[in-house]
Amino acid sequence: MKNINAFKSNPESRDARAILEWALGKFTPKRLLLASSFSIEDQVLTHLLSGLEAKARVFTLDTGRLFEETHAVMRATMERYELAIEVYAPFETDVEALVSDGGPDLFYESVEKRKKCCEVRKVRPLKFALSSADAWICGLRREQSQTRTELEAVEWDEGNGLFKINPLFNWTEKDVWQFIRENNVPYNKLYDEGFRSVGCAPCTRAVREGEDVRAGRWWWESPEHKECGLHKSPVKGKGA
Ligand code: SF4
């Protein structure tokens, strides 16, 4: 098994499988969780994990506002990899209070209200899911947005109090698609309609030629606000 410093010292590393193997050796597999939103990146990771002997758990957050196409690829993924995916939903009382107070589409009214919705539908369920983990695996890539340019293979996630593993930190979108095509990995059909990142239905749209990958997420907000609270800036340098 490689030392994690090999990935840190080689900024060109794209060996996602080796990073996953390192993580599975470093952490108890039952306490290592892959967070999947069924993005093309997460599908690459699910595919790679399925080929490894030790298995991390796979979970998803069903916000209650997902596209039908996302549920379709979830079904296809469970079948293809014979995988039990853990599903975490928002707490019912939180959603009732959120919608009673702000209405079903409060997120269009202000960044603050949008973040409140993400907090209820994503961040709180995520914290609950991660309470049974020592590390989580994500499909983040540096080139996805201006908020992710300094991503590392392994980071300390201060907000959630555990390690975050980013095996695709250095992959390009082209690398991801090449892997998907070569391995016939199931993917969300919305990508064929111009989507380049898929989140909740009311907050995601297709992007135009030349636009940023995440331009279709919360398109009414400015780029520096475009995170949902799941991926806050990490603390660098804490050794795994
Ligand atoms: Fe709510 Fe939109 Fe955030 Fe989904 S992406 S949790 S609908 S604000």
Side-chain angles (χ1 to χ4, degrees):
M1 184 194 310
K2 280 186 185 174
N3 186 297
I4 195 59
N5 288 326
F7 308 114
K8 287 182 179 168
S9 60
N10 178 8
E12 299 307 312
S13 172
R14 287 186 168 80
D15 195 348
R17 184 188 164 97
I19 296 173
L20 287 172
E21 285 176 331
W22 172 85
L24 284 162
K26 176 80 184 172
F27 301 98
T28 306
K30 280 189 174 169
R31 294 189 59 84
L32 180 62
L33 268 64
L34 166 62
S36 177
S37 64
F38 309 101
S39 66
I40 47 172
E41 290 83 3
D42 298 336
Q43 293 300 92
V44 168
L45 294 173
T46 299
H47 182 94
L48 285 171
L49 266 180
S50 75
L52 297 175
E53 204 172 318
K55 301 274 183 272
R57 289 156 55 203
V58 181
F59 79 96
T60 193
L61 303 176
D62 192 336
T63 64
R65 302 300 299 259
L66 298 180
F67 288 98
E68 273 179 34
E69 288 85 347
T70 303
H71 285 137
V73 72
M74 179 175 170
R75 270 194 303 278
T77 304
M78 292 169 101
E79 283 171 18
R80 162 81 183 266
Y81 300 105
E82 298 181 352
L83 186 63
I85 294 173
E86 298 171 27
V87 178
Y88 292 88
F91 298 103
E92 207 174 331
T93 49
D94 283 353
V95 175
E96 285 169 1
L98 181 82
V99 178
S100 299
D101 191 38
D105 296 330
L106 73 165
F107 29 77
Y108 296 130
E109 293 171 17
S110 67
V111 172
E112 191 188 21
K113 288 185 180 179
R114 196 274 292 166
K115 287 190 172 172
K116 178 74 184 160
C117 184
C118 286
E119 168 76 22
V120 165
R121 294 184 184 276
K122 293 181 174 181
V123 178
R124 287 182 201 167
L126 175 76
K127 282 194 186 301
F128 183 70
L130 294 184
S131 63
S132 62
D134 296 324
W136 60 311
I137 305 166
C138 305
L140 303 183
R141 295 183 295 107
R142 285 180 176 171
E143 70 162 23
Q144 278 170 326
S145 76
Q146 67 183 53
T147 57
R148 296 182 181 176
T149 54
E150 295 186 15
L151 203 65
E152 298 288 352
V154 180
E155 299 177 328
W156 175 249
D157 177 350
E158 184 71 31
N160 292 305
L162 76 176
F163 287 98
K164 182 151 78 167
I165 321 288
N166 306 305
L168 305 182
F169 74 104
N170 212 19
W171 282 40
T172 63
E173 193 178 14
K174 194 173 160 200
D175 293 332
V176 177
W177 276 115
Q178 189 174 340
F179 187 97
I180 295 272
R181 307 277 187 222
E182 283 177 1
N183 295 284
N184 198 24
V185 175
Y187 66 90
N188 193 322
K189 295 307 169 203
L190 289 172
Y191 286 96
D192 293 337
E193 296 174 22
F195 285 71
R196 290 175 71 200
S197 169
V198 182
C200 292
C203 300
T204 316
R205 69 176 185 186
V207 299
R208 289 181 285 272
E209 190 76 31
E211 277 188 319
D212 184 80
V213 175
R214 302 221 355 131
R217 305 290 292 277
W218 310 294
W219 62 92
W220 61 93
E221 294 180 3
S222 54
E224 68 272 19
H225 293 128
K226 291 193 178 201
E227 290 292 355
C228 53
L230 298 185
H231 302 292
K232 292 193 174 134
S233 297
V235 172
K236 298 268 165 42
K238 180 158 178 171

